[in-house]
Amino acid sequence: MSEPLVLGIESSCDETGVGIVRGTTLLAHAVASSVEEHVRFGGVVPEVASRAHLEAMVPTLEQAYEQAGVDVRDVDAIAVTSGPGLTGALLVGVAAAKALALAHDKPLYGVNHLAAHVAVDQLEHGRYTEPSIALLVSGGHTELLLVNDIATDITLLGGTIDDAAGEAFDKVARLLGLPYPGGPEIDKVARDGDPTAIPFPRGLTTGRDLERYRWDFSFSGLKSAVARHVQHEQRMQRPVAVADVAASFQDAVCDVLSRKAIKACLEHDVPRLILGGGVAANGRLRHFVLERAEKAGVEVRIPKASLCTDNGAMVAALGAEVVRRGIAPSSLDLAVDSSLPVTRIVAA
């Protein structure tokens, strides 16, 4: 059969994304972000995000149709993020996808948000047939995955046991008086700092912690260490060296993420690492990953920054892959699942 034309809808958090993909060719990539509406709260407010999705859904769909030169009547299937994510936000996307599928008699695929972050790489670098390790790093997720098959077989090796990496960036940025979202701000400020200035801890990397949590991550202790340092400097009536703190914190996070990801490639005999999620745009993380991968002989694939953050293109990319494989579509009774496990790539 010819490559399937798939419409993808993403609404798991604060971006309303619509993508249109034919096979591994990206035809449309439209995103409406509500991040500015959350700035004054210092983080995503679920109710605000849900209302923003309602307002943005139709205009974003129309923008994608115009970019691709097609409309919903032309597509072979509709894919939508059904989890994990914020329940209210997911409901908006799934309701829109159901309405389109029912009105135009199109098969509906509820797909996994995390698997979609891996699948989007194929839009830039083509299909891969060999197993890969994927490191997904965002405000809500930090996972290390063994991807034997993007459409049928993904294993969760490990994940964060407390704060996600992006969440830790946001919280530390707040401690340093930097605006939300914290990841890009810390990345920018850290360029003027000394990453060796403060020996912040590397969680779950030594002794019994490493044995018990071999592929897991923890950033809560690191966040607390930054808070203690800032409080100490303030008690001593010294100005906080924001650039040095940011650089030292960022290196602590990126060191652990990259170290465990490359080690997973070597121990599982997998020669490829895929980096995804919003924090994948972080310059220091990319530096650590590329440097260590080169020494280890591991191929690294990183989508461009606009495809690392939440978007509809990644949902369409995964949808196109499952349609191509002939996997059965989801029911029109499809429910959202805020904690959908990554092993469930297509929801029933």
Side-chain angles (χ1 to χ4, degrees):
M1 63 177 289
S2 62
E3 293 281 15
L5 180 66
V6 176
L7 169 70
I9 298 174
E10 155 63 24
S11 69
S12 65
C13 191
D14 58 347
E15 273 94 20
T16 307
V18 178
I20 299 176
V21 163
R22 185 179 293 281
T24 58
T25 302
L26 179 60
L27 303 180
H29 173 43
V31 178
S33 176
S34 63
V35 66
E36 293 300 324
E37 299 179 44
H38 304 282
V39 169
R40 65 192 176 101
F41 302 107
V44 176
V45 180
E47 176 66 16
V48 173
S50 300
R51 290 179 181 275
H53 288 307
L54 282 170
E55 294 174 1
M57 185 59 67
V58 171
T60 310
L61 281 163
E62 291 174 345
Q63 183 183 350
Y65 297 152
E66 184 176 354
Q67 287 181 11
V70 301
D71 67 29
V72 67
R73 292 169 295 184
D74 301 312
V75 304
D76 298 307
I78 298 169
V80 62
T81 300
S82 59
L86 302 174
T87 299
L90 290 167
L91 281 168
V92 177
V94 168
K98 285 181 177 180
L100 291 171
L102 184 61
H104 299 281
D105 193 25
K106 301 294 182 182
L108 174 69
Y109 290 84
V111 300
N112 191 292
H113 177 83
L114 302 178
H117 269 302
V118 182
V120 74
D121 176 74
Q122 296 190 149
L123 300 181
E124 280 199 86
H125 302 114
R127 288 195 179 94
Y128 43 87
T129 56
E130 298 176 351
S132 300
I133 295 292
L135 174 64
L136 303 184
V137 195
S138 69
H141 304 281
T142 303
E143 278 92 8
L144 199 55
L145 311 175
L146 173 59
V147 184
N148 286 310
D149 187 296
I150 187 57
T152 62
D153 186 2
I154 298 178
T155 301
L156 176 65
L157 297 180
T160 181
I161 63 173
D162 41 58
D163 291 344
E167 184 182 3
F169 271 92
D170 289 337
K171 291 177 178 178
V172 167
R174 192 179 308 136
L175 285 169
L176 298 177
L178 300 174
Y180 173 86
E185 295 295 328
I186 286 180
D187 194 13
K188 181 170 60 178
V189 169
R191 294 168 196 164
D192 297 323
D194 177 4
T196 65
I198 307 156
F200 286 133
R202 269 69 168 159
L204 307 185
T205 58
T206 58
R208 291 184 178 180
D209 278 347
L210 182 58
E211 294 176 12
R212 183 179 177 185
Y213 300 104
R214 188 165 192 77
W215 307 120
D216 292 318
F217 306 96
S218 172
F219 300 109
S220 181
L222 171 59
K223 176 196 64 182
S224 297
V226 175
R228 288 193 299 270
H229 174 83
V230 170
Q231 291 163 1
H232 175 75
E233 294 299 287
Q234 291 171 340
R235 281 196 304 270
M236 299 301 292
Q237 297 185 336
R238 292 193 293 253
V240 176
V242 173
D244 287 348
V245 175
S248 299
F249 161 77
Q250 180 172 256
D251 262 37
V253 174
C254 297
D255 178 20
V256 173
L257 290 171
S258 59
R259 189 189 313 179
K260 290 202 173 189
I262 297 301
K263 186 177 290 187
C265 290
L266 296 176
E267 292 197 13
H268 289 85
D269 195 25
V270 173
R272 179 185 298 107
L273 173 66
I274 299 169
L275 194 59
V279 183
N282 181 277
R284 194 64 175 160
L285 177 58
R286 290 181 177 226
H287 168 79
F288 268 104
V289 167
L290 292 170
E291 182 179 64
R292 286 177 167 164
E294 184 177 6
K295 291 178 181 177
V298 172
E299 175 196 359
V300 178
R301 291 168 55 146
I302 309 174
K304 61 185 178 182
S306 64
L307 294 180
C308 287
T309 53
D310 294 349
N311 61 84
M314 70 186 202
V315 178
L318 180 55
E321 193 63 29
V322 299
V323 171
R324 188 177 73 91
R325 305 289 192 84
I327 294 172
S330 307
S331 164
L332 282 174
D333 293 330
L334 173 69
V336 303
D337 186 346
S338 63
S339 56
L340 185 70
V342 71
T343 50
R344 286 184 59 198
I345 300 168
V346 180

